[in-house]
Amino acid sequence: MNHPTSRPDAAFASACPSVLTLRWTAALALLACASAGSAWAQSAAAEVSARALPEIVVSGSRQEQASDDLPVSIDVIGANEISNRQSTDLRDAVRDLPNVSVQISPARFAVGGTTASALRDGNTGLNIRGLGGNRVLMLVDGIRIPRSYAFRTTTFDREYLSLELLKRVEIVRGPASALYGSDGMAGMANFITYEPQDFLKNADGSAKPLGGRVSAGWSGDDNGHTLAGTVAGRASDSLDWLLTASTRGAHALEAQGTNHEPNVNRTAANPQQDHDSALLGKIVLRPTAGQKHTFTLEHVEKSSDVDLLSSRAPLPLRGTPSQIAGAIVDEYASRDMERDRFTWDARFDLNAPWADHVKTVIAAQRAKSRQVGTSVRNTLPLRVRDNRYGERTWQAGLQADKLLKSGDWAHRLTYGYDYVRSSIDNLYTGLAPLPPEVFPLKRFPDTRETTHALYLQDESVLGDWSLTPGLRLDHFALDVTSQAGFYPPASEPGKSLSGSALSPKFGLLYRATPAWTLYGQYAAGFRAPDAGQVNGYYENMAEAVVLIPNADLKPERSHGLELGARAL
C-alpha cells in the first residue's frame, strides 16, 4: 500500500526500511484504461541497495517493512501472480504455498440428513500448519472477515472475498496474536485491495491523470468466466479516486465420476450455477504533505444454486413403508452471501516527542449468509431448511510509532489500541421440523462480542542484530443481547462470558552475510470462545442427540517456536 512515509535514520535503516447490483460491470470494464505497472516501495537499507528491491509488507510488524527484515515466515502473493495462475478463489491463490491450504469439494450435502459432508471441508478458511477455520485470522485491509460457523448440514464459510479486488495477499505463518489479537493462533492472512496510485503511474514512473485495466478469464474446471474492470483518476494534486467492479459465473466443479444417474448412485458433480459480483470504490485525500485519508467502500456478493440429484432415491422405490414414504424424489439448495464494508484510514506525520507517525482506522462492516434447502419426499410433507447468519461489526484502531536512538542502539516502538464490536445473529426456520423443535428458532442467542486491546512492540537494532519483543493484552466479552427464539426451546437461557489474554512474542534476526539471514521467533496465540461454542444448543430425541451450552469455556491458546535461514 502506498502510505506516505519518512525516510528512517541510517542507524535504523538496516532493519526498518522505510447494497448494489453489479450487472453493469462490463460497461465499466469498457471504460477502463490500460493498467500501469504496480507501484514499488523502496527500501532504505544501505546494505541491500545493490540487490533487487525487497518485497514490502505490512502484516509482519503492522508497519511497512521489507519482508527480508522480519523474523517470521511470511509469503506474499501479488496481483500478477493471481492473474497468471488464473486463480478464481482463495484455494487457487494459495495452492503453491507450503503448509498453507484451503480444502474444497463439490456440493454433496443433504438438506436434512447427517450422512454427508455438508461442505464442512469447503472454503471455511485457510489452514496453516494443520490449524484452520477460525484459528487463522483473516483480514481485508486490516479489517476482520466474519468467522465461520458450522452446524449439522449447514456451514457458513469465510470466503466473503473477490480476488479481482486484491493487489496482494500477505500470509504470516505462526501465532500472530501479539499484534492482531484473537483468532491468530495459527497465523493470519491480510488481503490488501488496490489503491488509485497503482494505476496512475506510467512505466517510467511519471504520473498520469487517468488509468485502469480490463481483465477477462475462463476456467475449464468449472466452465467459469470472469470479467473485471478498473478505472482510476487524479481529480487534483490532493485527490485520487478508484472504482473497480467484477463479475463471475460458473457451473459445477468438474469431477472424475462417470456415473450420471439422478440418484444416490451418482458420482458425477451435481448441476450447479454460481454467480459472484464485487465492487470497490476508493477516495484518497492528501490535504497536506503529512496527511493521507483513504475512504473505502467494498461490496461482495456470491450465490450458488445446486440441483441435488445425488440425494434422490433410485427407482423403483424399495424398503419399508416408512422408508418409501420418506424417500427423496427431488432436492435442491441455494446459498447467498454478502459483505459490505466502509473504512476510513487516516495517516499523519507528527514528528512529535511521543510519535513520528499516527494511524487511525474506523470501519463499519455488515455480512450476511443464507442457505436454503428443499426436499420433496414421496408422500411425506415438503421439508425446507432455511438457515441465516449475520454479523454487524464496528472496528476502530489507533496506532503510533516512534524512532529512538541510544548510542549504537536504534529502537522503533509501535504501540496502539484496538476495539472491535460485533453483533451476531442467526435464524433457523422452514417446514416440517424434527420434534421437539418448532420453527422458527435460533441455534444460539443474539450475541454481542466486544474486544479491547493494548499492544506494544519494540524493534531494536544493534549492528547486524535485530531484536523484536512484543506484548498484547486483550479483554473480550461475549454478551447475550436477546433470548428470543432461543430460550425456549433451549432448556436453559444463554449465558454471557468475559475474559482476558496476554500474548507475548520475541523475535531475533542476524544478518550473517550480505546474502544470508538467520532468524527465530517465539510467539503466543489465542482464540476467544465464540457465540456458537458458548451457547450452541440442539436437541433431537429421535436421533438421541443433545448439544448443551458451555459457559465455562476458556480461550484456546497456542505457542509457536520457529527457527530459519533466508537467502536474500
Side-chain angles (χ1 to χ4, degrees):
M1 292 184 290
N2 301 309
H3 307 310
T5 57
S6 58
R7 186 178 181 89
D9 290 327
F12 199 76
S14 62
C16 291
S18 48
V19 199
L20 298 169
T21 301
L22 307 177
R23 311 303 187 217
W24 47 268
T25 308
L28 173 65
L30 293 175
L31 294 174
C33 301
S35 63
S38 298
W40 282 89
Q42 186 171 5
S43 171
E47 45 279 299
V48 301
S49 60
R51 303 195 307 265
L53 290 174
E55 189 82 54
I56 300 298
V57 298
V58 296
S59 302
S61 63
R62 297 188 72 141
Q63 295 280 356
E64 287 191 337
Q65 191 168 351
S67 58
D68 292 344
D69 290 330
L70 294 170
V72 297
S73 292
I74 185 167
D75 283 298
V76 180
I77 307 171
N80 289 336
E81 192 172 358
I82 293 174
S83 177
N84 292 338
R85 291 178 178 177
Q86 296 289 300
S87 300
T88 59
D89 57 25
L90 181 57
R91 179 175 181 265
D92 284 344
V94 304
R95 63 189 175 193
D96 293 335
L97 298 184
N99 300 313
V100 178
S101 64
V102 175
Q103 292 182 326
I104 188 172
S105 65
R108 306 294 279 179
F109 60 93
V111 170
T114 58
T115 58
S117 68
L119 289 178
R120 288 179 184 272
D121 54 345
N123 289 355
T124 55
L126 284 164
N127 184 296
I128 298 179
R129 293 175 174 170
L131 292 177
N134 295 329
R135 295 172 179 85
V136 176
L137 179 61
M138 295 173 62
L139 313 171
V140 177
D141 292 337
I143 307 304
R144 288 169 170 259
I145 292 178
R147 296 188 181 105
S148 66
Y149 281 87
F151 181 83
R152 284 171 54 82
T153 58
T154 302
T155 298
F156 297 109
D157 62 48
R158 306 184 71 187
E159 199 170 355
Y160 297 87
L161 295 168
S162 172
L163 296 187
E164 295 294 335
L165 307 184
L166 302 181
K167 175 169 61 175
R168 69 179 184 269
V169 181
E170 299 178 359
I171 297 178
V172 177
R173 297 184 186 86
S177 294
L179 287 177
Y180 295 96
S182 180
D183 300 347
M185 288 185 62
M188 59 87 65
N190 195 4
F191 302 91
I192 299 171
T193 60
Y194 283 108
E195 290 201 353
Q197 281 286 340
D198 298 319
F199 302 96
L200 298 179
K201 287 187 178 181
N202 293 306
D204 60 1
S206 60
K208 60 182 180 180
L210 192 68
R213 63 164 185 157
V214 177
S215 65
W218 176 81
S219 175
D221 56 358
D222 59 2
N223 196 27
H225 53 277
T226 304
L227 179 64
T230 299
V231 60
R234 175 163 291 120
S236 67
D237 291 341
S238 60
L239 180 63
D240 298 335
W241 57 271
L242 172 145
L243 187 63
T244 293
S246 70
T247 184
R248 181 177 186 271
H251 299 286
L253 187 68
E254 291 292 338
Q256 295 296 318
T258 58
N259 188 330
H260 291 264
E261 293 181 37
N263 54 49
V264 294
N265 297 320
R266 185 184 184 91
T267 58
N270 286 317
Q272 181 171 333
Q273 295 287 337
D274 298 333
H275 183 79
D276 306 345
S277 299
L279 176 69
L280 175 70
K282 283 193 178 184
I283 295 176
V284 179
L285 179 64
R286 296 179 177 86
T288 65
Q291 289 188 48
K292 179 184 178 183
H293 301 263
T294 303
F295 302 90
T296 303
L297 175 65
E298 181 189 11
H299 173 78
V300 177
E301 61 183 42
K302 298 189 173 190
S303 64
S304 181
D305 296 285
V306 187
D307 188 359
L308 298 169
L309 300 180
S310 60
S311 294
R312 296 180 181 180
L315 298 176
L317 299 177
R318 294 183 175 88
T320 65
S322 60
Q323 289 173 334
I324 293 176
I328 303 296
V329 297
D330 194 11
E331 194 165 61
Y332 44 92
S334 65
R335 183 189 74 161
D336 296 282
M337 303 174 64
E338 286 189 14
R339 181 174 63 87
D340 296 286
R341 170 177 67 96
F342 175 77
T343 302
W344 169 50
D345 184 324
R347 314 292 174 100
F348 303 90
D349 292 345
L350 292 186
N351 297 317
W354 60 278
D356 295 328
H357 313 95
V358 169
K359 170 186 176 181
T360 62
V361 174
I362 297 177
Q365 182 170 254
R366 179 187 67 91
K368 60 181 181 179
S369 183
R370 182 182 184 185
Q371 297 180 19
V372 181
T374 301
S375 298
V376 180
R377 297 182 287 180
N378 186 32
T379 59
L380 294 182
L382 185 70
R383 180 169 58 195
V384 177
R385 298 292 182 263
D386 187 343
N387 295 269
R388 309 180 193 189
Y389 172 78
E391 280 194 24
R392 299 183 306 279
T393 301
W394 285 92
Q395 183 170 333
L398 175 64
Q399 177 179 309
D401 66 85
K402 182 64 180 179
L403 177 62
L404 303 172
K405 293 189 295 183
S406 177
D408 294 333
W409 283 92
H411 303 266
R412 173 180 279 172
L413 298 177
T414 302
Y415 57 97
Y417 167 77
D418 284 340
Y419 170 80
V420 182
R421 186 187 71 186
S422 298
S423 298
I424 302 170
D425 61 83
N426 71 104
L427 180 65
Y428 185 44
T429 187
L431 298 173
L434 296 175
E437 294 184 339
V438 177
F439 288 154
L441 57 85
K442 297 187 176 183
R443 294 304 182 192
F444 55 85
D446 293 347
T447 303
R448 181 179 61 247
E449 296 181 354
T450 308
T451 299
H452 302 266
L454 295 171
Y455 59 90
L456 171 65
Q457 175 179 276
D458 175 21
E459 184 177 4
S460 302
V461 178
L462 178 63
D464 292 326
W465 292 87
S466 293
L467 291 78
T468 312
L471 188 65
R472 179 179 173 114
L473 175 63
D474 285 84
H475 177 77
F476 60 88
L478 188 151
D479 299 304
V480 174
T481 58
S482 174
Q483 302 281 358
F486 175 75
Y487 173 74
S491 58
E492 58 184 69
K495 299 178 181 179
S496 299
L497 176 73
S498 63
S500 299
L502 194 64
S503 302
K505 61 171 281 189
F506 182 80
L508 180 65
L509 185 142
Y510 173 58
R511 299 166 187 82
T513 71
W516 284 92
T517 295
L518 307 177
Y519 67 92
Q521 178 175 263
Y522 162 79
F526 89 100
R527 184 174 80 92
D530 60 46
Q533 292 177 308
V534 174
N535 289 313
Y537 175 83
Y538 172 72
E539 181 177 354
N540 186 334
M541 301 313 298
E543 298 176 350
V545 173
V546 178
L547 302 179
I548 61 175
N550 185 352
D552 297 321
L553 285 176
K554 304 298 182 183
E556 295 182 57
R557 299 182 184 273
S558 66
H559 300 275
L561 178 63
E562 181 172 4
L563 301 173
R566 183 182 295 127
L568 307 181

